[in-house]
Amino acid sequence: MIAIKKGVIATFGTKILVAFLGLCLVVLISKYLGAEGRGILSLFTLYIALLQMVCDFGSSSAIINLSYKYANKNLWFTANIWVISICTIAVVIFLFYQPIPFIIFVPICTLLLCFTNINNLLLMGNRAVIKRNINLVLQPLLLLLFFLILYFVF
C-alpha cells in the first residue's frame, strides 16, 4: 500500500514538474522568437501531434495490455515498424506539400517522440514507474536545455 502511494505521489510530482518546464519553454520561446516564431512553432507542433495520432492509432492501451502477455521485444519491434512506415509515408507527402518552413523535419521529430512514447508505454506496462517518470522529466528538461544552448551560444 505504501509503495502505491509513493508511486502515485511521484507520478503526480513528475506531471507538475513537466507542466512547469513546459510553461518555461512557452515563455522563453514567446519572448525570444516573437509572435511569428511562436506561431510557426505552434504549427510545427500541430503537425507533429497530428502525425503522432496516426502513428499511435490506438496502440497506447494495446501496448500496455499486451505487455503482460507477450515479450516486450516483440511489442517494441512491431510498434516501431508501424511508426517508421507511417513516418516514411509522411516524408514523401511533405516533399510535395510544404505549408510551413521546416515541414520536412516533422516526421523526424514525430519518429523520435513515438519511440519515446513506445518505451514509456512498455515501462508503464511493466510497472516501472520510477524509470517512466525519469523519462517524462528528461524530455522537457533536455528540450529546455537545447533551446537555451541554441539561443545563448548561437
Side-chain angles (χ1 to χ4, degrees):
M1 186 68 166
I2 293 174
I4 293 174
K5 286 182 184 178
K6 284 182 180 179
V8 169
I9 291 171
T11 301
F12 183 72
T14 299
K15 296 283 184 178
I16 289 175
L17 183 59
V18 167
F20 177 74
L21 289 171
L23 179 67
C24 291
L25 273 168
V26 168
V27 169
L28 286 172
I29 288 170
S30 296
K31 182 179 178 183
Y32 294 113
L33 295 182
E36 184 180 352
R38 175 73 179 127
I40 290 174
L41 190 61
S42 295
L43 286 173
F44 189 77
T45 306
L46 170 75
Y47 282 106
I48 290 173
L50 290 173
L51 188 56
Q52 184 192 4
M53 283 196 290
V54 174
C55 287
D56 284 349
F57 195 59
S59 65
S60 327
S61 58
I63 290 174
I64 294 171
N65 292 331
L66 292 174
S67 66
Y68 301 121
K69 297 178 184 178
Y70 299 101
N72 286 338
K73 186 177 182 180
N74 294 340
L75 291 172
W76 180 85
F77 183 74
T78 306
N80 284 332
I81 291 295
W82 171 256
V83 167
I84 290 169
S85 62
I86 294 298
C87 288
T88 304
I89 293 169
V91 166
V92 173
I93 291 170
F94 289 146
L95 285 174
F96 300 105
Y97 174 68
Q98 297 185 357
I100 61 171
F102 312 114
I103 190 73
I104 200 67
F105 293 112
V106 166
I108 297 166
C109 293
T110 304
L111 188 70
L112 293 173
L113 183 61
C114 286
F115 285 165
T116 305
N117 286 344
I118 290 167
N119 287 328
N120 282 337
L121 290 170
L122 287 172
L123 288 172
M124 190 185 313
N126 291 325
R127 297 183 180 105
V129 176
I130 294 172
K131 290 179 183 177
R132 179 178 172 267
N133 287 341
I134 290 170
N135 274 347
L136 289 176
V137 170
L138 278 177
Q139 284 177 323
L141 191 63
L142 290 174
L143 188 61
L144 182 65
L145 182 66
F146 181 69
F147 178 75
L148 291 173
I149 289 171
L150 279 178
Y151 182 74
F152 291 112
V153 173
F154 298 106

